[in-house]
Amino acid sequence: MSQYSFMDVSGQKFKLVIVSALIALVIVVWFWPPLREGVPMLPMASASTGIHGAYTTNFPHPENPISEGGKWLNGQSDGLDWTNVRTTPGFAFGTELGGKRPEPEKYDDSAALLTGAWGPNQTVQATVHRVNKDDDTIYQEVELRLRSALAPHNSTGYEVMFRCSKSPKAYVQVARWDGILGAFMYLKQAEGSQYGVADGDVVKASMIGKVITVYINGVQVVQTSDYLFTGGNPGIGFYLDGTTGVNSQCGFSSFSATDK
């Protein structure tokens, strides 16, 4: 290994070193940011905050369960105790058995969460497609998920649910899933025809900091807050109770999520 010291450089060699250093400095300053934008650099914030960006889909492929190239986790495939989300071209819906089942079995909602690293401030939006008739004996819901996670026998995060009805018994509810099947807590509930959904309605939910805000067709309908889960992924879900075989009568025709 060769060794040297700046103390050994003098005279013309010293001037040459100074000039060379200045030239190198100019090159770095001119070309660096980064290399005049010719080379993409990974932002440091991505590693620390997990910023994912936007994801949008209109469910173009028939899949059971939904995958879209490995971009989704599912309630049964990945969580075991819940059920999967299924798609036909332009439509996503649940696969839950429904009927009249006891607790906690009846709470095996269909769930699908996007994969990847997502920042905590999340906004999700979906368009409802429904052909079912209002029936107060049937509980059929479309659901939006925020800061959620799925693992074997474990489902956590926030769920915003809308009843597929416009009767006076329709509702919007916000709940927190706390782990095992059936372990959840309601954070907010509102009942009335204005809180249910019809075909073509656009539902939206955001969680910024501790605050969860819910919209139907751009109008805020409820707001609540919770501190427990500070991270997780967005997604969708569906619920059916009181009858069987009608899962495809209410679901989503499009979905988008962002953490910016």
Side-chain angles (χ1 to χ4, degrees), residues 35-81:
L35 294 182
R36 302 308 293 176
E37 301 181 356
V39 178
M41 301 296 291
L42 292 176
M44 294 301 292
S46 294
S48 59
T49 61
I51 298 302
H52 184 280
Y55 186 83
T56 301
T57 182
N58 59 359
F59 314 110
H61 306 296
E63 295 185 309
N64 189 14
I66 184 174
S67 173
E68 296 186 333
K71 295 181 176 66
W72 294 88
L73 300 176
N74 276 269
Q76 184 176 41
S77 300
D78 300 282
L80 303 183
D81 296 330

Side-chain angles (χ1 to χ4, degrees), residues 21 23 25 29 55 58 68 76 88 99 113 124 130 156 175 187 222 242-243 259:
I23 292 173
L25 179 61
V29 171
Y55 186 83
N58 59 359
E68 296 186 333
Q76 184 176 41
T88 57
L113 305 180
V124 293
R130 60 167 285 212
T156 59
L187 303 175
V222 298
T243 191
D259 55 2

Side-chain angles (χ1 to χ4, degrees), residues 147 158 176-178 207 210 225-231:
R147 293 187 191 172
Y158 300 97
R176 187 186 71 214
W177 281 89
D178 291 324
M207 189 166 191
K210 299 177 182 179
S225 63
D226 192 70
Y227 65 91
L228 187 59
F229 297 118
T230 58

Side-chain angles (χ1 to χ4, degrees), residues 93-193:
F93 54 97
T95 61
E96 192 176 18
L97 178 62
K100 296 184 180 297
R101 296 179 295 158
E103 300 179 4
E105 289 85 357
K106 64 185 294 183
Y107 296 127
D108 59 345
D109 298 42
S110 300
L113 305 180
L114 288 167
T115 59
W118 289 78
N121 290 336
Q122 300 172 6
T123 300
V124 293
Q125 179 174 295
T127 302
V128 176
H129 175 59
R130 60 167 285 212
V131 297
N132 67 322
K133 305 298 183 182
D134 292 354
D135 185 341
D136 290 337
T137 68
I138 296 172
Y139 294 87
Q140 189 167 16
E141 300 170 354
V142 290
E143 303 165 348
L144 298 173
R145 298 291 297 265
L146 296 161
R147 293 187 191 172
S148 295
L150 275 171
H153 311 298
N154 191 64
S155 177
T156 59
Y158 300 97
E159 177 184 274
V160 180
M161 59 207 88
F162 307 83
R163 191 173 187 180
C164 296
S165 169
K166 294 298 287 183
S167 83
K169 293 295 185 179
Y171 55 77
V172 61
Q173 299 172 337
V174 183
R176 187 186 71 214
W177 281 89
D178 291 324
I180 62 172
L181 179 65
F184 66 91
M185 182 177 75
Y186 288 113
L187 303 175
K188 189 78 172 183
Q189 301 181 74
E191 185 177 273
S193 59

